[in-house]
Amino acid sequence: MTIVEKYRPSFHYTPRKGWMNDPNGLVYFDGEYHLFYQHDNYDRVFQNMSWGHAISTDLVHWEEYPKAIVPDDDGLGMIFSGSAVVDKNNCAGFGANTLIAFYTSTNPRQQQCMAYSTDKGRTWTKYSGNPVIKNVQGGNIPNDFRDPKVIWHEDSQKWIMSLAVQDHIDFWSSRNLKDWEKESEFGHGSGSHNGVWECPDLFELEVDGDKNNKKWVLIVSINPGGPNGGSATQYFIGDFKEADGKLTFISDQKDEKWIDYGTDNYAGVTWFNIQNKVISIGWMSNWSYADKVPTENWRGAMTIPRELKLKNIQGDIIVTSEPIEALQRKFEHTIATTADVKINSDIKVGKELSSSRIKMKVDIDEVSDVGIEFSNRVGENIRIGYNLAKWYLYVDRSNSGKVDYAPILNKLHKAKLERRLDKLDMEIFVDKSSVEVFFNGGEYVMTEIIFPTEEFSMVKVYSDNKTEIREFQIESLSGI
Ligand code: FRU
């Protein structure tokens, strides 16, 4: 019997069966991109957390592999989130080019452990000396001590581990990946603190592609406390360097910055060992309703992979997100263009709309509300637009179909703007049960999951005043 899974996406990674949350152990090695993830393959609920595993050679087509790291009789409990590196120079002594993973074990408290693979990530051995970082914290920080993200730091010639510790990030360093020493902390008094800090990531990027102007970015997921409720990912721009003899993240950022303003991009981190690019992927859900989403057999999808860049936008340096090139090339078949659009009237597209890319550029001189609506024959819709009167970008999913899994969060989601935008340019990826909206080349992103009872098949560009469409295109997915 074939089971119809109407919410299973076409170009987003989902596990065949069971539950998935955070991406883990993102590493590129020998022509393969590894995606590990928080997984339980028995049921669609959070339990027995292990590292699931998928491999891709292009970040677009994924093949699921057996679970990579699982709880066993070491007594250390579940396998929570973490990262992986290629130990090119055999710092740890397991051999040159060994893949080394770092994860948090949960029993009796959260501590950092290590596992290694000498067969291109197919099988993993837990290190006999685990945990490599013990939880010796007392006081009021009993257990939030997790999600090790390890990178190689060229300047100090050390491995650096970022760790989430309740309300701040710890930085630890090591030369052999086994013995770790605490360097510093960041976050007390910085950024958003309406929830627990989780899943950090630290990397360096050029501003506007200028080799002589690099900055460090620290990503921190927070749950709850997101701009539209529930979990979300904030970031800090600064420097990572030695200060008073310790490697320290320093930032004078005053405002809160968010990787994504939608409610469904969480715990996103970046791949280790991709040259000259920073590519991230996130979990397309939200802790406030993740266990209730109405999918069949599986629960939890990843976002599309995104290239992160630093851009100076009118004096403000921000992280932008762009869908990766290899995925862009999969949308080749044009199904509607500018000539098909009449403002405020529906274009009948058909079911190809439910796995498609939409590009739209409009003139915004005289309008105060402009956007695009996807709808179906039973009157459900999602509206994505720009409210110029009140200065926000939005996704309104309050009437998008099944919404009762998140009674409080299924509403109008906003990205509040600090300045008036001088153009509106949207690129939207629709895939059965999600929309990912990249505004103005990825300056603002909103990722949202949706569960229409019937596929969206109609599109309308709406506006409350005379609007000129500069560009409009719907392209369907081919060959995945
Ligand atoms: C983030 C998180 C991590 C933890 C993992 C458990 O979503 O809470 O902090 O390691 O999920 O699955």
Side-chain angles (χ1 to χ4, degrees):
M1 196 182 81
T2 21
I3 302 162
V4 180
E5 299 180 303
K6 70 172 175 179
Y7 295 128
R8 174 86 76 178
S10 308
F11 58 93
H12 288 78
Y13 184 74
T14 49
R16 240 187 318 263
K17 188 167 180 287
W19 166 275
M20 176 172 79
N21 59 291
D22 314 357
N24 296 152
L26 305 179
V27 61
Y28 177 70
F29 179 62
D30 206 9
E32 295 177 328
Y33 296 92
H34 294 268
L35 165 64
F36 299 92
Y37 46 87
Q38 289 290 281
H39 186 40
D40 175 72
N41 61 337
Y42 297 108
D43 205 352
R44 295 172 307 147
V45 292
F46 177 86
Q47 62 184 9
N48 312 315
M49 294 324 287
S50 302
W51 278 25
H53 189 197
I55 297 179
S56 170
T57 53
D58 60 3
L59 289 171
V60 176
H61 302 83
W62 292 98
E63 191 179 336
E64 186 169 332
Y65 277 72
K67 282 186 289 186
I69 311 178
V70 299
D72 58 23
D73 53 11
D74 67 1
L76 291 171
M78 294 189 281
I79 317 296
F80 269 18
S81 288
S83 56
V85 299
V86 183
D87 185 12
K88 210 164 116 205
N89 299 320
N90 195 19
C91 300
F94 301 120
N97 286 319
T98 298
L99 294 183
I100 304 198
F102 294 88
Y103 61 90
T104 300
S105 60
T106 57
N107 193 42
R109 315 169 100 199
Q110 295 180 357
Q111 321 197 75
Q112 316 324 317
C113 292
M114 180 167 132
Y116 58 93
S117 169
T118 52
D119 59 357
K120 295 175 63 176
R122 277 19 179 216
T123 59
W124 292 81
T125 307
K126 290 179 182 163
Y127 172 51
S128 56
N130 279 338
V132 289
I133 300 183
K134 289 198 175 64
N135 187 340
V136 291
Q137 306 180 83
N140 59 1
I141 311 182
N143 214 16
D144 292 315
F145 187 56
R146 58 177 178 268
D147 308 337
K149 175 71 164 109
V150 176
I151 59 164
W152 173 251
H153 185 236
E154 199 58 42
D155 283 2
S156 64
Q157 293 289 299
K158 284 178 183 168
W159 296 96
I160 301 297
M161 181 190 289
S162 309
L163 262 185
V165 192
Q166 196 171 56
D167 61 351
H168 68 272
I169 302 302
D170 264 11
F171 297 101
W172 294 63
S173 72
S174 174
R175 295 210 186 262
N176 64 5
L177 292 162
K178 292 173 174 163
D179 302 305
W180 293 87
E181 186 184 317
K182 184 161 166 182
E183 296 278 345
S184 59
E185 297 183 359
F186 172 81
H188 304 282
S190 303
S192 179
H193 278 279
N194 297 320
V196 176
W197 285 26
E198 302 184 314
C199 300
D201 195 359
L202 178 70
F203 49 87
E204 197 180 24
L205 271 175
E206 295 165 355
V207 180
D208 295 323
D210 177 357
K211 286 187 179 42
N212 300 315
N213 185 15
K214 290 186 179 177
K215 301 223 175 275
W216 283 87
V217 179
L218 175 66
I219 282 186
V220 178
S221 281
I222 180 170
N223 176 42
N228 285 294
S231 42
T233 304
Q234 57 181 329
Y235 67 89
F236 302 89
I237 293 173
D239 202 353
F240 186 74
K241 62 176 183 197
E242 202 169 295
D244 299 328
K246 292 284 179 193
L247 289 162
T248 312
F249 183 80
I250 300 161
S251 171
D252 54 14
Q253 182 177 312
K254 297 281 175 296
D255 56 337
E256 287 173 11
K257 293 187 185 306
W258 301 93
I259 285 285
D260 194 313
Y261 288 84
T263 47
D264 298 287
N265 178 5
Y266 193 62
V269 282
T270 65
W271 261 275
F272 183 87
N273 201 32
I274 296 181
Q275 303 306 315
N276 306 317
K277 273 193 174 121
V278 173
I279 296 184
S280 81
I281 199 167
W283 170 44
M284 202 154 54
S285 196
N286 190 305
W287 276 120
S288 70
Y289 48 68
D291 59 342
K292 298 189 188 64
V293 297
T295 49
E296 326 81 357
N297 306 307
W298 57 282
R299 238 190 216 128
M302 290 297 165
T303 65
I304 57 174
R306 302 161 183 195
E307 181 174 353
L308 304 184
K309 292 184 180 164
L310 275 184
K311 289 192 186 156
N312 186 334
I313 309 279
Q314 297 181 11
D316 190 20
I317 297 173
I318 61 165
V319 173
T320 62
S321 303
E322 296 173 22
I324 54 159
E325 269 305 311
L327 181 67
Q328 293 284 28
R329 288 195 290 272
K330 295 291 168 191
F331 296 87
E332 284 178 331
H333 178 216
T334 304
I335 46 181
T337 64
T338 317
D340 302 310
V341 187
K342 260 194 20 226
I343 300 287
N344 295 328
S345 56
D346 280 322
I347 314 171
K348 290 197 177 63
V349 179
K351 68 175 176 22
E352 281 172 309
L353 182 63
S354 64
S355 291
S356 66
R357 175 183 67 193
I358 297 93
K359 288 184 179 174
M360 166 169 149
K361 287 187 184 159
V362 293
D363 222 342
I364 51 173
D365 291 347
E366 297 178 26
V367 294
S368 54
D369 185 35
V370 59
I372 189 169
E373 177 187 288
F374 304 117
S375 61
N376 59 16
R377 291 172 310 176
V378 293
E380 295 161 354
N381 60 37
I382 181 163
R383 290 164 74 87
I384 301 165
Y386 179 19
N387 185 321
L388 288 90
K390 296 190 176 146
W391 284 29
Y392 61 80
L393 300 165
Y394 61 88
V395 176
D396 186 350
R397 68 182 200 191
S398 56
N399 181 38
S400 61
K402 292 185 192 170
V403 289
D404 54 352
Y405 65 91
I408 300 167
L409 288 193
N410 275 321
K411 54 176 189 182
L412 177 72
H413 295 159
K414 300 176 185 172
K416 296 201 182 95
L417 304 171
E418 267 139 47
R419 58 192 172 83
R420 191 183 188 280
L421 302 179
D422 50 17
K423 59 169 188 168
L424 180 64
D425 162 352
M426 303 199 278
E427 189 173 20
I428 306 170
F429 290 77
V430 182
D431 196 7
K432 304 285 175 61
S433 48
S434 65
V435 295
E436 286 159 282
V437 191
F438 298 85
F439 293 97
N440 291 4
E443 274 178 48
Y444 299 89
V445 186
M446 294 185 83
T447 301
E448 301 276 344
I449 54 174
I450 45 165
F451 301 96
T453 56
E454 187 186 273
E455 285 174 338
F456 288 147
S457 56
M458 288 174 293
V459 172
K460 175 162 74 189
V461 177
Y462 59 86
S463 166
D464 62 357
N465 207 340
K466 196 170 151 291
T467 301
E468 183 131 1
I469 303 200
R470 299 266 167 230
E471 188 190 320
F472 186 85
Q473 224 170 24
I474 305 178
E475 285 146 308
S476 64
L477 179 74
S478 45
I480 297 191

Coordinates of all heavy atoms in Angstrom, one line a residue, residues 21-22 38 46 49 80-81 146-147 198-199 266-267 283 287, ligand 1:
N21 N 15.0 16.9 14.7 CA 15.2 18.3 15.0 C 16.6 18.8 14.5 O 16.9 18.5 13.4 CB 14.8 18.7 16.5 CG 15.5 18.1 17.6 OD1 15.4 16.9 17.8 ND2 16.3 18.8 18.3
D22 N 17.3 19.4 15.3 CA 18.5 20.2 14.9 C 19.4 19.4 13.9 O 19.7 18.2 14.1 CB 19.5 20.5 16.0 CG 18.8 21.0 17.3 OD1 17.6 21.2 17.2 OD2 19.5 21.2 18.3
Q38 N 19.4 15.5 14.9 CA 18.7 14.9 16.1 C 17.6 14.1 15.6 O 16.7 14.5 14.9 CB 18.2 16.1 17.0 CG 19.3 16.8 17.7 CD 20.0 15.9 18.8 OE1 19.4 15.8 19.9 NE2 21.1 15.4 18.5
F46 N 9.9 13.4 20.3 CA 11.3 13.6 20.8 C 11.6 12.6 21.8 O 11.1 12.6 22.9 CB 11.4 15.0 21.4 CG 12.7 15.4 22.0 CD1 13.7 15.9 21.2 CD2 12.9 15.2 23.3 CE1 14.9 16.2 21.8 CE2 14.1 15.5 23.9 CZ 15.1 16.0 23.1
M49 N 17.2 10.4 21.7 CA 17.9 11.2 20.7 C 19.2 10.6 20.3 O 20.0 10.2 21.1 CB 18.1 12.6 21.2 CG 16.8 13.4 21.3 SD 15.5 13.0 20.1 CE 16.2 13.8 18.7
F80 N 22.9 14.4 22.1 CA 22.3 15.7 21.8 C 23.2 16.3 20.7 O 24.2 15.8 20.2 CB 22.2 16.5 23.0 CG 20.9 16.4 23.7 CD1 20.0 15.3 23.5 CD2 20.4 17.4 24.6 CE1 18.8 15.2 24.1 CE2 19.2 17.3 25.2 CZ 18.4 16.2 25.0
S81 N 22.8 17.6 20.4 CA 23.4 18.3 19.2 C 24.9 18.5 19.4 O 25.5 18.6 20.5 CB 22.7 19.6 19.0 OG 21.4 19.3 18.5
R146 N 25.6 22.7 26.6 CA 25.5 21.8 25.4 C 25.8 22.4 24.1 O 26.1 23.5 23.9 CB 24.1 21.2 25.4 CG 23.0 22.2 25.3 CD 21.6 21.5 25.2 NE 20.5 22.4 25.2 CZ 19.8 22.9 26.3 NH1 20.2 22.5 27.5 NH2 18.8 23.7 26.1
D147 N 25.7 21.5 23.1 CA 25.8 21.9 21.7 C 27.2 22.3 21.2 O 27.3 23.4 20.6 CB 24.7 22.9 21.3 CG 23.3 22.5 21.8 OD1 23.1 21.2 21.9 OD2 22.4 23.3 21.9
E198 N 21.1 28.2 22.9 CA 21.4 26.9 22.4 C 22.2 27.0 21.1 O 22.2 28.1 20.4 CB 20.2 26.1 22.1 CG 19.2 26.0 23.3 CD 18.0 25.1 23.1 OE1 17.3 25.3 22.0 OE2 17.7 24.3 23.9
C199 N 22.8 25.9 20.7 CA 23.4 25.8 19.3 C 24.2 26.9 18.8 O 23.8 27.5 17.8 CB 22.3 25.4 18.4 SG 21.4 23.9 18.8
Y266 N 15.3 27.0 13.0 CA 15.9 27.0 14.3 C 17.2 26.1 14.3 O 17.3 25.2 13.5 CB 14.9 26.4 15.4 CG 15.4 26.7 16.8 CD1 15.6 28.0 17.2 CD2 15.7 25.6 17.6 CE1 16.1 28.2 18.5 CE2 16.2 25.8 18.9 CZ 16.4 27.1 19.4 OH 16.9 27.4 20.6
A267 N 18.1 26.5 15.3 CA 19.3 25.6 15.5 C 20.2 25.5 14.3 O 20.9 24.6 14.2 CB 18.9 24.2 16.0
W283 N 16.7 23.8 11.2 CA 15.6 22.9 11.4 C 14.3 23.7 11.2 O 14.2 24.8 11.8 CB 15.6 22.3 12.8 CG 14.4 21.6 13.3 CD1 13.7 20.7 12.6 CD2 13.8 21.7 14.6 NE1 12.7 20.2 13.4 CE2 12.7 20.8 14.6 CE3 14.1 22.5 15.7 CZ2 11.9 20.7 15.7 CZ3 13.3 22.3 16.8 CH2 12.2 21.4 16.9
W287 N 10.1 25.0 18.6 CA 9.9 24.2 19.8 C 8.5 24.4 20.4 O 8.0 23.5 21.1 CB 10.9 24.4 20.8 CG 12.2 23.6 20.6 CD1 13.4 24.1 20.4 CD2 12.3 22.2 20.6 NE1 14.3 23.1 20.3 CE2 13.7 21.9 20.4 CE3 11.4 21.1 20.7 CZ2 14.1 20.6 20.3 CZ3 11.9 19.8 20.6 CH2 13.2 19.6 20.4
Ligands
FRU1 C1 18.0 22.7 20.2 C2 18.2 21.6 21.3 C3 19.7 21.5 21.7 C4 19.8 20.1 22.1 C5 18.9 19.4 21.2 C6 18.2 18.2 21.7 O1 16.9 22.6 19.5 O2 17.4 21.9 22.4 O3 20.0 22.5 22.6 O4 21.1 19.7 22.1 O5 17.9 20.4 20.8 O6 17.6 17.5 20.7

